[in-house]
Amino acid sequence: MKIAIPYENGEVFQHFGHTAAFMIYQIEAGRVVSNALLPANGSGHGALAGLLAANGVEALVCGGIGGGARTALAAAGIAVYPGVSGAADGAAAALAAGSLAFDPNAACAHHAGHGEGHDCGSHGEGHSCAGGHCGG
């Protein structure tokens, strides 16, 4: 199984849609057998699901994630394990071993207070979600 983790300086990067790269882990027989860095190339929230699917990813371990990204990942057949922080390698090993602690209800703090289905492109003219907070 291939899993992806938003990655920065060895840690689980906490905002899925703003990650610069993913660490891709290959898991076999309950352990990590290889890993490689996959640049996100500034793809943004929606396109990241397609990038991961195109690279054969079956699961995502992440920190915060919004509803739009969850929907796109589900449509791509990618399982999501949110609410994880700390070392990316440790999280991958824990998922491989079946002992990953995650919060299925974790959301990106940036999206707190928005309704279900919010995406940062839907606010209309003049709105900006830049910098991790909606300021429209």
Side-chain angles (χ1 to χ4, degrees), residues 32-116:
V32 175
V33 296
S34 66
N35 66 342
L37 195 64
L38 174 66
N41 295 323
S43 295
H45 292 82
L48 291 176
L51 173 69
L52 296 178
N55 282 277
V57 170
E58 301 167 67
L60 172 77
V61 174
C62 62
I65 186 166
R70 285 178 185 259
T71 300
L73 289 162
I78 298 173
V80 178
Y81 299 88
V84 177
S85 61
D89 289 352
L95 182 64
S99 62
L100 179 68
F102 68 99
D103 177 359
N105 298 313
C108 178
H110 157 104
H111 296 281
H114 292 299
E116 189 66 31

